[in-house]
Amino acid sequence: MAVDAATAPSELGSSIRGEGEVAAKPLPSADAPAAQESLEELDQRYAPYARRDAYGPMGRGPLGAAEAARTAVAAAVLLPLRVVAGVLVLVAYYLVCRVCTLWVEEERAGGQGEGYARLQGWRRAWVVRCGRALSRAMLFVFGFYWIREHDRRFPDAEGKDLGQSELLERPGAIVSNHVSYVDILYHMSSSLPSFVAKRSVARLPLVGLISKCIGCIFVQRESKTSDFKGVSGAVTERIQRAHRQKNSPMMLLFPEGTTTNGDYLLPFKTGAFLARAPVQPVILRYPYKRFSPAWDSMDGARHVFLLLCQFVNYLEVVHLPVYYPSEQEKDDPKLYADNVRKLMAVEGNLILSDLGLAEKRVYHAALNGLSCRS
C-alpha cells in the first residue's frame, strides 16, 4: 500500500478530512519575539507542544481545591504503592535477563554500543515472553488498566494487487507517533522491539541490562562528533536483519524525533526508511480528563509524579496494515517517510505540523520566561 501525496511545507498544521483532503492552516504572525507573547499566543504558535489539561503549562498551573485534594490523597496513598510495585516489576525482569544472559557474550552493534540482540532459543523466548508480560504489568502499575486496541493489520484484500511474496514479507521496523515515555512500555508489551537509546542507559542499574537484553542500539547523542553515519548504518542493518529473520527483534523508531501533545504529527526523519524494508505503522492516543500523559513541556520527575497520582490513565492504539514501499519509495526515503506520515495522519485523525525540535526548545524557553515573570 502506498500514498502518493506529500505534505505541503510552510504551514503550522493541516486538518484531516474525509478521504485524506487537507485544509492548511498558516502560521500565526511572528512580529513579536516569543518571550514577549502571551501564553495563549504561544500555545497557538506552538500548538503541537501545548498542554491543555487541568495542570496547565509545564504542570505548574493553579489547581482548584478538589483537584489539589485529590492529588494530595493520591500522593499519600497511591504513589507509594505504585512505586513499590514498579520497582518489584523492574527487579523481576532484571533477574530474568540476568539468567538469560549467563555465559553469553555481548554483541557490538556496528560500534554503536553493546547488547544481546542475537539471543536465541529458550533465552530469546523467555526474554520476549517475560518482557511482554512484565511491561503490561508496569502499564497496570501506571494506571493503564484497560488499553483499547484497534487492529487494522488485516483489511479486506479485495481489489488489492498484492503478490504472494509481498504478503509473506515481515516488517523490519515499527514506526509510531511519539507522545510519552509510556509509548515504549506499550510497544514492549505488544511486540518487545529494540530501539535506539542513549549510551548512558546501558550503564544504569537494572535498566542497563534490560536494554541490552532486548537489543537496543546505544549512541552518544550528546557527542558533537559526526557519528550519524555509524548510527544510521547500525539501525539500517538491524531493520534489514529483522525483515529477513523471523526471530530477530524489530526496531521501534519514532520518526518525529521528539514528543508532542498527541494531536499532531511532526515531519518524519528518514532513518526508519533507509533500509527499503516494509514498516508497521502504529498510532497512539492518550485520552484524559485531568492530567495528560503526554510528555511535552514539563520536567520528567514532575511528570512521573503526576502520572502515578492519576487514579486511571487511558491509552488507545491503532495498528495499521504493514506498509510495503513501492520501488519509487525504496529509492527515495524522504518520499517513503512522507507517505507513511500522511497515511498515519489520515488514519489517526492527527494534524500535520511542520514544527520541529528547534521550535519546541523556543517554546519551552518562552514558557520559562513567562513563569519567571509571573
Side-chain angles (χ1 to χ4, degrees):
M1 61 191 303
V3 178
D4 294 328
T7 306
S10 303
E11 55 188 43
L12 172 64
S14 301
S15 299
I16 306 302
R17 304 174 178 176
E19 298 295 326
E21 179 184 353
V22 178
K25 296 180 181 179
L27 279 167
S29 172
D31 295 334
Q36 298 178 8
E37 293 182 280
S38 67
L39 178 60
E40 292 76 14
E41 291 171 329
L42 286 171
D43 283 351
Q44 181 184 12
R45 181 182 294 276
Y46 303 103
Y49 312 119
R51 296 190 67 87
R52 298 181 176 87
D53 62 6
Y55 290 83
M58 305 180 73
R60 301 174 185 172
L63 296 178
E67 187 63 33
R70 185 183 292 108
T71 302
V73 171
V77 179
L78 193 60
L79 179 63
L81 294 175
R82 284 180 166 173
V83 169
V84 171
V87 171
L88 291 177
V89 171
L90 188 62
V91 170
Y93 195 34
Y94 170 81
L95 293 176
V96 170
C97 292
R98 176 57 66 189
V99 171
C100 290
T101 54
L102 289 174
W103 305 295
V104 176
E105 186 177 352
E106 291 186 8
E107 173 194 359
R108 293 284 170 175
Q112 296 304 317
E114 60 277 1
Y116 298 94
R118 294 183 186 268
L119 286 177
Q120 300 293 331
W122 67 268
R123 298 175 188 272
R124 176 64 186 168
W126 272 96
V127 166
V128 172
R129 291 174 185 173
C130 294
R132 292 181 62 179
L134 292 173
S135 296
R136 184 64 187 90
M138 186 67 83
L139 285 170
F140 191 90
V141 169
F142 273 71
F144 295 91
Y145 308 125
W146 306 278
I147 298 176
R148 295 183 58 187
E149 296 188 84
H150 306 277
D151 197 337
R152 304 178 189 170
R153 284 175 286 191
F154 307 102
D156 184 0
E158 183 178 356
K160 300 289 185 180
D161 185 19
L162 296 177
Q164 183 66 22
S165 61
E166 183 178 78
L167 288 172
L168 296 176
E169 283 189 327
R170 180 177 187 251
I174 298 169
V175 293
S176 172
N177 63 320
H178 200 9
V179 184
S180 174
Y181 47 83
V182 180
D183 301 349
I184 295 176
L185 276 178
Y186 169 75
H187 286 292
M188 288 181 66
S189 72
S190 176
S191 57
L192 202 79
S194 56
F195 49 89
V196 178
K198 291 182 179 180
R199 189 167 296 168
S200 57
V201 171
R203 306 185 188 99
L204 293 176
L206 304 180
V207 176
L209 178 62
I210 292 172
S211 61
K212 293 178 185 180
C213 211
I214 63 177
C216 287
I217 295 176
F218 301 104
V219 299
Q220 190 67 38
R221 294 181 180 176
E222 295 83 0
S223 175
K224 299 300 182 181
T225 60
S226 179
D227 64 348
F228 172 78
K229 186 175 182 179
V231 176
S232 176
V235 170
T236 299
E237 178 185 355
R238 188 72 65 80
I239 292 175
Q240 291 173 340
R241 185 198 306 171
H243 174 49
R244 294 190 305 265
Q245 302 175 8
K246 182 179 179 181
N247 293 326
S248 293
M250 287 192 292
M251 286 295 300
L252 168 63
L253 294 166
F254 301 107
E256 295 171 282
T258 188
T259 55
T260 68
N261 58 19
D263 295 327
Y264 291 78
L265 204 59
L266 306 180
F268 279 7
K269 295 177 172 57
T270 59
F273 310 96
L274 295 173
R276 301 162 59 94
V279 296
Q280 173 69 71
V282 179
I283 302 166
L284 305 178
R285 300 294 295 265
Y286 293 84
Y288 64 90
K289 294 182 179 179
R290 290 184 294 274
F291 175 74
S292 169
W295 187 25
D296 32 45
S297 61
M298 70 170 70
D299 64 86
R302 184 173 183 82
H303 191 279
V304 172
F305 171 79
L306 293 175
L307 185 68
L308 292 177
C309 288
Q310 182 101 313
F311 288 93
V312 181
N313 290 297
Y314 301 94
L315 172 59
E316 295 181 357
V317 184
V318 178
H319 297 270
L320 297 181
V322 174
Y323 191 105
Y324 298 97
S326 65
E327 289 301 321
Q328 184 181 7
E329 289 170 325
K330 289 180 181 180
D331 294 335
D332 186 349
K334 182 65 168 62
L335 175 65
Y336 187 5
D338 287 344
N339 288 346
V340 173
R341 177 180 179 241
K342 177 73 176 295
L343 174 70
M344 291 176 64
V346 172
E347 295 293 333
N349 195 27
L350 301 174
I351 303 172
L352 297 176
S353 170
D354 286 333
L355 299 188
L357 185 57
E359 289 84 359
K360 185 175 186 178
R361 290 169 176 162
V362 171
Y363 177 60
H364 287 181
L367 286 181
N368 282 319
L370 287 175
S371 177
C372 292
R373 295 202 301 269
S374 61

